[in-house]
Amino acid sequence: MNSFKKMEEFGNRTAVYAERKYSYSEMLEIADAICGKVGERTLVFCLCSNNKESLFGYVGFIRGGVVPVLLDASIHIDRLRRLINLYKPTYIWASSENQDLVKVMDSSFVFGDYTLFRCPTFFQHDLHEDLALLLTTSGSTGSPKFVRLSYENIFKNAESIAKYLDINADDRPITTLPMNYSYGLSIINSHFICGATIIVTDASVMKKEFWDLCREQGVTTFGGVPFVYEMLNRLKFEEFNLPSLKKLTQAGGKLSETLSRKFAKVCNQRGIQFFSMYGQTEATARMAYLPCEKSLDKAGSIGIAIPGGELILQDDNGNKITAPNVIGELIYKGANVSLGYAGSLFDLSKKDENNGILRTGDMAYFDQDGYFFISGRIKRMIKVYGNRISLDEVEGFLNEHGHDCICAGTDDQMVIYTLKEDYVQIKKLLKEKLNLKGFKIIRIKEIPRNHFGKILYSELPKYG
């Protein structure tokens, strides 16, 4: 199942706007030429930015049965070398100005600002026939672990997303997220299979040029992680004049209930559909969505399973939970569940290890209407004086009460990292409202985050 092979039918429709228009026919001609230089089913590293070169290379490789590994173009050379040693790609599709590659590799094809670099050592990969793509697990910056995705995973998920978002050929999304990130890539996949036009930019939502491009190109849709919505809130998004905007999507972590409500209200007033969504790279991208008409009524919920998927809860004994408001582990079933992980090239021949079932690692409950709510991560649970505490719940509670802080810790030692001198108020709040003991408060200058805005708890200053 490779839906990119059917893209010819969109012909002269505009596929991409990147300084100028590229029709589907023109994009496919370039994409197939890039892949044609690889010439066989093998492994290629793609160092991606939000540009036409990365996009066309990706489309070409998927269409031609070459397996791309999508990596951030700004990857540190030491990490890149480590990954090259572990996976031995045949080619690297990257910026022609990447001096680390120019010095050691020959150029075999050039398009725009990108070069197809041939790696000096050739390795014959044993790739499973279903393997289509490798993506990093979100948040892992130093890990060589990739998620193995099949053609069915990619396109079943894209079709499901297109269905519940009602995507059509007139949609014009703009790139706000890295395409090597599963959420950013799902926006590309779900729009390309519908013949839509993707507006490609590397500009941040904090830049005037981003909003000028939105207005000039009649952008209808964009997506963001919670960090993007926090920035939009600071920019006073409610005052923006964006007459073409029809749809906003949010995923990549839990948006605070306050901001969820605020954006739902603003969107309702402006005739914009606002969708909160939930997913993991291990499920290609999306597993659940909150229908836009429920965005206020069920603010804070991840919603219901995507078309073709199923969400269930299990208790500690592995029994299915059937009553509302009972917390258990969230399990997802669907055709978009990945084949498994890879730690090196020797894992690329492995069969499907998940069989369509993903244990998400999230704790959740559903309400009396069947809408799901995440209560925290299994790994973000600690015991303090024998009481089980969700670090995510405490964090959310403090944020809702106006404290810009995050929580970490181990059993019998919870640590609250705050950006302000608000120790006294935090202490009072936790003791009076949550009856918590055994915590420490540390002030930090900024919250460490990765490119996607996700918090890097491992990089917080140590305590003790």
Side-chain angles (χ1 to χ4, degrees):
M1 183 189 182
N2 188 336
S3 298
F4 281 176
K5 287 185 175 174
K6 300 175 192 165
M7 288 166 98
E8 280 88 353
E9 67 190 64
F10 303 126
N12 291 325
R13 290 196 65 86
T14 303
V16 168
Y17 179 87
E19 283 103 42
R20 72 166 177 86
K21 292 177 181 176
Y22 291 84
S23 68
Y24 274 87
S25 298
E26 190 179 2
M27 174 177 77
L28 296 182
E29 193 180 326
I30 296 164
D32 291 347
I34 297 165
C35 186
K37 287 295 172 185
V38 175
E40 60 181 332
R41 181 166 163 79
T42 187
L43 199 68
V44 175
F45 279 10
C46 301
L47 305 195
C48 304
S49 292
N50 282 339
N51 56 32
K52 62 183 184 295
E53 292 89 346
S54 298
L55 208 52
F56 294 177
Y58 165 70
V59 169
F61 298 137
I62 294 292
R63 273 169 63 84
V66 164
V67 179
V69 181
L70 302 192
L71 299 166
D72 194 314
S74 62
I75 187 172
H76 192 279
I77 185 59
D78 291 346
R79 181 172 181 235
L80 182 59
R81 283 189 191 125
R82 185 177 172 219
L83 291 173
I84 290 170
N85 287 336
L86 276 170
Y87 287 92
K88 303 198 177 353
T90 311
Y91 289 93
I92 299 181
W93 179 237
S95 165
S96 305
E97 307 210 326
N98 189 316
Q99 292 306 308
D100 295 308
L101 302 181
V102 169
K103 287 175 197 163
V104 295
M105 294 181 192
D106 293 331
S107 159
S108 60
F109 184 78
V110 175
F111 164 68
D113 296 331
Y114 265 46
T115 293
L116 190 64
F117 293 98
R118 187 173 181 92
C119 298
T121 51
F122 176 75
F123 182 85
Q124 186 71 53
H125 292 89
D126 180 11
L127 304 172
H128 190 278
E129 61 180 356
D130 296 334
L131 183 66
L133 172 69
L134 295 176
L135 287 182
T136 56
T137 57
S138 60
S140 64
T141 47
S143 165
K145 186 163 83 168
F146 291 121
V147 175
R148 295 182 290 121
L149 297 172
S150 71
Y151 296 102
E152 186 184 26
N153 293 157
I154 297 168
F155 294 110
K156 283 284 192 192
N157 201 225
E159 285 169 11
S160 185
I161 293 166
K163 187 175 179 182
Y164 73 73
L165 289 181
D166 193 22
I167 296 171
N168 62 56
D170 295 327
D171 280 318
R172 296 174 68 83
I174 189 167
T175 53
T176 47
L177 300 159
M179 66 172 281
N180 56 291
Y181 170 41
S182 60
Y183 181 14
L185 192 65
S186 74
I187 293 171
I188 290 163
N189 293 332
S190 56
H191 284 84
F192 270 165
I193 65 166
C194 296
T197 301
I198 295 174
I199 315 300
V200 179
T201 178
D202 230 354
S204 157
V205 296
M206 297 299 278
K207 293 276 194 294
K208 180 179 179 290
E209 64 189 277
F210 176 87
W211 300 106
D212 288 346
L213 186 62
C214 279
R215 279 182 279 269
E216 174 205 312
Q217 287 302 316
V219 162
T220 61
T221 317
F222 69 79
V225 294
F227 187 54
V228 168
Y229 281 92
E230 285 161 21
M231 288 196 284
L232 291 178
N233 187 43
R234 280 188 218 128
L235 291 169
K236 294 195 163 53
F237 174 76
E238 62 273 18
E239 294 172 12
F240 284 21
N241 178 31
L242 296 161
S244 60
L245 196 62
K246 295 192 179 84
K247 240 174 277 181
L248 287 184
T249 65
Q250 181 271 315
K254 191 176 179 182
L255 188 62
S256 74
E257 201 171 317
T258 308
L259 277 189
S260 283
R261 285 187 184 283
K262 179 171 180 178
F263 276 95
K265 271 182 190 164
V266 170
C267 288
N268 275 357
Q269 287 160 4
R270 303 272 291 276
I272 297 167
Q273 294 183 314
F274 179 61
F275 290 88
S276 287
M277 310 186 299
Y278 165 78
Q280 290 179 5
T281 307
E282 289 83 350
T284 311
R286 308 274 70 83
M287 291 181 273
Y289 75 104
L290 183 62
C292 57
E293 64 274 13
K294 297 284 185 185
S295 59
L296 259 176
D297 190 21
K298 300 288 185 185
S301 169
I302 62 165
I304 54 178
I306 62 170
E310 184 189 0
L311 291 170
I312 60 167
L313 295 179
Q314 274 187 2
D315 64 19
D316 290 346
N317 299 317
N319 300 314
K320 185 176 176 179
I321 293 170
T322 53
N325 304 310
V326 178
I327 293 175
E329 185 184 357
L330 186 63
I331 290 163
Y332 174 80
K333 296 179 180 180
N336 52 312
V337 173
S338 66
L339 304 173
Y341 294 114
S344 76
L345 57 87
F346 300 109
D347 294 329
L348 304 184
S349 59
K350 283 183 174 176
K351 295 185 178 78
D352 182 357
E353 295 177 314
N354 289 326
N355 299 310
I357 299 169
L358 180 68
R359 303 190 79 89
T360 66
D362 283 322
M363 303 299 286
Y365 64 91
F366 55 82
D367 66 10
Q368 63 281 5
D369 300 319
Y371 284 78
F372 285 79
F373 293 77
I374 300 290
S375 57
R377 291 287 292 164
I378 289 174
K379 288 179 182 169
R380 300 253 305 141
M381 302 291 288
I382 60 170
K383 275 194 173 177
V384 178
Y385 298 117
N387 296 316
R388 206 164 180 230
I389 291 169
S390 163
L391 295 171
D392 293 318
E393 277 184 18
V394 176
E395 206 171 271
F397 172 79
L398 289 170
N399 290 336
E400 295 294 330
H401 282 79
H403 297 283
D404 208 351
C405 45
I406 57 176
C407 301
T410 53
D411 286 353
D412 289 331
Q413 176 72 90
M414 182 165 73
V415 184
I416 295 150
Y417 296 86
T418 178
L419 296 178
K420 301 177 199 148
E421 292 281 354
D422 49 1
Y423 307 99
V424 177
Q425 298 95 309
I426 290 173
K427 216 170 197 174
K428 191 167 184 278
L429 198 59
L430 291 182
K431 285 192 169 172
E432 287 179 6
K433 300 273 182 174
L434 298 183
N435 195 24
L436 282 183
K437 297 178 281 208
F439 58 85
K440 189 174 182 175
I441 304 169
I442 296 174
R443 186 167 179 198
I444 52 174
K445 284 184 181 167
E446 63 177 348
I447 293 169
R449 296 179 186 270
N450 67 9
H451 288 318
F452 316 137
K454 282 201 172 179
I455 297 165
L456 297 171
Y457 290 98
S458 59
E459 291 189 14
L460 286 164
K462 293 290 171 261
Y463 50 88

